[in-house]
Amino acid sequence: MKYIFVTGGVISSLGKGLTAASLGTLLENRGLKVALQKFDPYLNVDPGTMSPFQHGEVYVLDDGAETDLDLGHYERFTNTKLTRQNSLTSGQVYARVLERERRGDYLGKTVQVIPHVTDEIKTRIRELAESTKADVVITEIGGTTGDIEGLPFLEAIREFALDVGYSNALFIHVTYVPFIKAAGELKTKPTQQSVAKLREIGIAPHLVVCRCDRPLNKEIRDKISLFCNVPYEGVIEEKDVDHTIYEVPLMLQRERMDELVCQLLRLDTPPANMSHWQDLLRKLIAPQKRIRIGVVGKYIGLQDAYKSVYEALSHGGIAHDCGIELERIEAEQIEKGGAEKLLKGLGGVLVPGGFGERGVQGKILAAQYARESKLPYLGLCLGMQIATVEFARNVLGLEGAHSTEFDKASPHPVIAMLEEQKGLMNVGGTMRLGAQPVQLQVGTKAAHLYGAFVVNERHRHRYEFNNSYRAQFEQRGFIFSGTSPDGELVELIELRDHPFFLGCQFHPEFQSKPNAPHPLFRGFIAAALQRLTL
């Protein structure tokens, strides 16, 4: 088994996750089985309690693990199915070490970072390798080289390479080569310093991936090769993409990155056939049609807050050879200026999940406008609950109807807390999480889109539709098109007299891929296109 470790230097947000995912794509298309995992040095047990302002979206796996958004890249770019084994934080490591210390597992020894913490980190690599039986395990180390909290992880992978033998382990360092406008040239010193810091720890990268906004010339490559002690061909250019992140695998293939990895790890494989990926790119870069889709949220200023939603919309566009022009709309702006002003002329509107009261009224107004103007609407998690509240207020006439998340004293709590959530003290990892079966109703739009009657979808919520109101809703054309198998939990809603108005309690964006768009997103884009061609 072979192991690849991806580290980063100079600054954060360089795209280590995309680099790891893109390499995984290339190696899979060489016929190898690949497993990817992410190590995050922060002390949170997982990102589930972290604000999107701090961490971007929380990506949920089938087994309910709340993880870093990079795991979304891993699943979208490769065929790997991830579990909580694929995600590790310092919080999990230290919790496990301290639990063992309390049990007396260390037999009276002084518990230290080396070897006890580093051994736990190495154990997680071995556990993933054994459970997946992959040919190659790619491990991304979060954070930036030099961060104090990341040192145990770097020490662990240094030791691990020694354990498995240097012919079976490969280090890739992603760094930044800035262009200094005043000097009119690219500068390699940050890269040199970052690699030097890594070498101090005892890790010598085999490949240096250089993020840059313009091509690296021969002089720059020579300099990085000399001062970072890597072969000339081991200096990999990773220039900012022009259109889409899905260009990255082909960019790295042109740089012969996958070929070099296979040579260094002594893997005898045929070249990767990426013709299907090129077809995807053609549909993304030069689509036959274009459409504007509005996303109404409270974290619109943060690109990573709705990362999977944006990607799933682009996948829905690929299915119809259609480019998606996103209109990112702050919910609070709708509260100030009204929905029509901001939503008129769009092909469709999507309201994603979220927590907290800020912007809720703007989302309700967006759902109302979509319902009344027959604008295609897709509500995800909170977006489904918002549509329910709007219908209760403006169609059923239930004054003051709301979710108890936002108004505990509502006279009509059409959205209420799940029974099993009541009385919980901890907020971390306690929501209804992970893949759950959804029973679809015969003859509904949802069943038609899925082409099935039972599907599994990933959840992350504490509140649900209040079944006390179900009969009132059904009498006015509000269809419960998907429920839990026992019929108790509402999973999907749609409107009878509307071309496309769907809301789901789950998060379909987490299971969409560029080569396998999710049925709800594919159907949503189809409805948006139909509206604009009528």
Side-chain angles (χ1 to χ4, degrees):
M1 192 171 290
K2 307 295 183 179
Y3 301 88
I4 299 171
F5 299 101
V6 180
T7 60
V10 185
I11 56 174
S12 60
S13 301
L14 278 176
K16 298 187 299 298
L18 276 172
T19 302
S22 298
L23 178 58
T25 303
L26 293 170
L27 294 180
E28 274 194 349
N29 282 280
R30 282 177 167 264
L32 297 168
K33 184 178 181 182
V34 177
L36 293 108
Q37 66 183 166
K38 173 77 181 286
F39 289 170
D40 276 305
Y42 49 72
L43 282 174
N44 303 66
V45 172
D46 58 46
T49 59
M50 295 167 72
S51 163
F53 289 107
Q54 290 280 312
H55 197 262
E57 76 172 3
V58 175
Y59 187 81
V60 181
L61 306 180
D62 272 0
D63 64 359
E66 294 175 287
T67 68
D68 181 84
L69 60 83
D70 279 322
L71 277 78
H73 294 315
Y74 301 166
E75 286 200 329
R76 285 188 285 270
F77 276 66
T78 70
N79 295 314
T80 56
K81 201 73 169 176
L82 306 181
T83 69
R84 60 185 69 252
Q85 273 193 324
N86 300 80
S87 177
L88 183 68
T89 68
S90 289
Q92 293 174 26
V93 172
Y94 284 105
R96 198 163 163 183
V97 168
L98 292 173
E99 180 185 352
R100 294 187 62 186
E101 185 274 333
R102 292 289 85 187
R103 286 202 310 257
D105 292 0
Y106 296 115
L107 304 176
K109 293 179 181 177
T110 302
V111 180
Q112 299 175 287
V113 173
I114 302 172
H116 302 103
V117 170
T118 52
D119 281 352
E120 285 296 336
I121 296 168
K122 291 191 291 182
T123 295
R124 180 58 73 94
I125 303 171
R126 293 192 188 95
E127 287 174 350
L128 182 67
E130 289 168 8
S131 66
T132 60
K133 307 297 182 189
D135 300 308
V136 180
V137 174
I138 302 175
T139 304
E140 175 194 350
I141 312 299
T144 306
T145 299
D147 294 345
I148 191 168
E149 62 264 30
L151 291 175
F153 288 93
L154 296 177
E155 170 61 21
I157 63 175
R158 183 197 68 79
E159 294 175 13
F160 192 90
L162 184 64
D163 295 343
V164 300
Y166 292 120
S167 62
N168 296 317
L170 180 77
F171 293 101
I172 298 173
H173 192 56
V174 183
T175 183
Y176 182 52
V177 182
F179 178 78
I180 306 301
K181 190 175 181 181
E185 60 182 349
L186 291 163
K187 290 293 185 181
T188 66
K189 189 63 72 177
T191 296
Q192 295 176 44
Q193 294 290 339
S194 179
V195 171
K197 195 73 179 174
L198 202 59
R199 289 167 67 185
E200 283 177 18
I201 299 165
I203 296 174
H206 298 83
L207 305 176
V208 175
V209 176
C210 302
R211 282 297 310 275
C212 49
D213 65 357
R214 61 204 65 211
L216 303 178
N217 58 34
K218 184 178 185 303
E219 180 185 355
I220 293 291
R221 290 184 190 246
D222 279 332
K223 197 171 184 180
I224 293 173
S225 171
L226 177 64
F227 285 100
C228 296
N229 199 36
V230 296
Y232 178 86
E233 60 271 18
V235 180
I236 308 294
E237 176 186 291
E238 193 176 57
K239 193 168 72 70
D240 295 348
V241 293
D242 295 323
H243 302 96
T244 169
I245 58 174
Y246 299 107
E247 295 176 60
V248 177
L250 297 182
M251 179 195 302
L252 296 182
Q253 186 182 42
R254 288 193 296 271
E255 289 286 301
R256 299 179 52 243
M257 184 177 179
D258 57 319
E259 183 181 335
L260 289 167
V261 165
C262 290
Q263 288 176 7
L264 289 164
L265 291 176
R266 301 174 190 175
L267 292 165
D268 186 14
T269 63
N273 181 356
M274 299 295 288
S275 57
H276 65 294
W277 206 264
Q278 291 168 336
D279 185 52
L280 287 176
L281 278 183
R282 201 278 303 160
K283 291 177 180 177
L284 283 167
I285 295 171
Q288 297 298 308
K289 303 175 282 285
R290 288 196 177 274
I291 196 165
R292 289 167 63 228
I293 298 293
V295 177
V296 179
K298 63 183 286 190
Y299 304 114
I300 289 299
L302 302 171
Q303 171 66 23
D304 287 343
Y306 304 117
K307 185 65 179 174
S308 292
V309 172
Y310 296 153
E311 294 305 315
L313 284 170
S314 74
H315 304 162
I318 290 172
H320 300 285
D321 205 348
C322 174
I324 306 299
E325 295 180 12
L326 287 174
E327 292 288 334
R328 297 175 172 86
I329 303 164
E330 287 281 0
E332 290 173 292
Q333 290 300 312
I334 293 180
E335 293 174 358
K336 296 173 184 176
E340 183 174 6
K341 179 180 177 182
L342 293 166
L343 303 183
K344 190 174 182 180
L346 295 176
V349 63
L350 182 149
V351 176
F355 301 91
E357 192 171 3
R358 182 171 64 84
V360 164
Q361 186 57 35
K363 296 174 186 178
I364 291 173
L365 291 171
Q368 180 180 5
Y369 179 81
R371 178 180 58 80
E372 293 177 346
S373 65
K374 306 298 184 183
L375 177 67
Y377 176 91
L378 181 59
L380 312 179
C381 197
L382 178 62
M384 181 274 255
Q385 297 174 2
I386 287 296
T388 302
V389 170
E390 188 279 321
F391 194 89
R393 290 181 182 179
N394 299 316
V395 178
L396 302 184
L398 301 178
E399 188 175 343
H402 218 322
S403 165
T404 56
E405 179 181 2
F406 311 120
D407 182 4
K408 289 182 171 55
S410 170
H412 296 290
V414 292
I415 302 294
M417 183 173 279
L418 286 158
E419 197 60 38
E420 63 265 27
Q421 293 291 309
K422 295 175 180 177
L424 289 174
M425 300 298 291
N426 291 337
V427 296
T430 57
M431 284 185 273
R432 185 171 187 257
L433 291 165
Q436 309 282 345
V438 177
Q439 180 79 45
L440 302 176
Q441 303 306 311
V442 177
T444 61
K445 190 178 295 293
H448 173 72
L449 291 174
Y450 277 101
F453 296 119
V454 179
V455 294
N456 279 287
E457 292 286 1
R458 298 179 186 179
H459 295 68
R460 186 175 185 252
H461 66 109
R462 294 188 194 279
Y463 295 81
E464 64 170 332
F465 180 86
N466 187 340
N467 286 323
S468 302
Y469 293 88
R470 191 179 287 197
Q472 293 182 60
F473 276 80
E474 287 180 319
Q475 288 169 6
R476 299 299 297 272
F478 196 91
I479 301 170
F480 300 98
S481 52
T483 64
S484 55
D486 61 7
E488 288 300 308
L489 180 68
V490 172
E491 295 277 17
L492 265 162
I493 61 98
E494 56 188 75
L495 296 185
R496 180 177 294 120
D497 300 320
H498 196 289
F500 191 100
F501 192 104
L502 268 74
C504 54
Q505 185 58 78
F506 46 83
H507 289 270
E509 68 270 26
F510 293 151
Q511 297 204 80
S512 187
K513 293 173 179 279
N515 54 0
H518 191 281
L520 295 185
F521 283 90
R522 190 172 61 234
F524 176 55
I525 299 303
L529 283 168
Q530 186 175 13
R531 172 184 172 86
L532 294 185
T533 54
L534 288 176

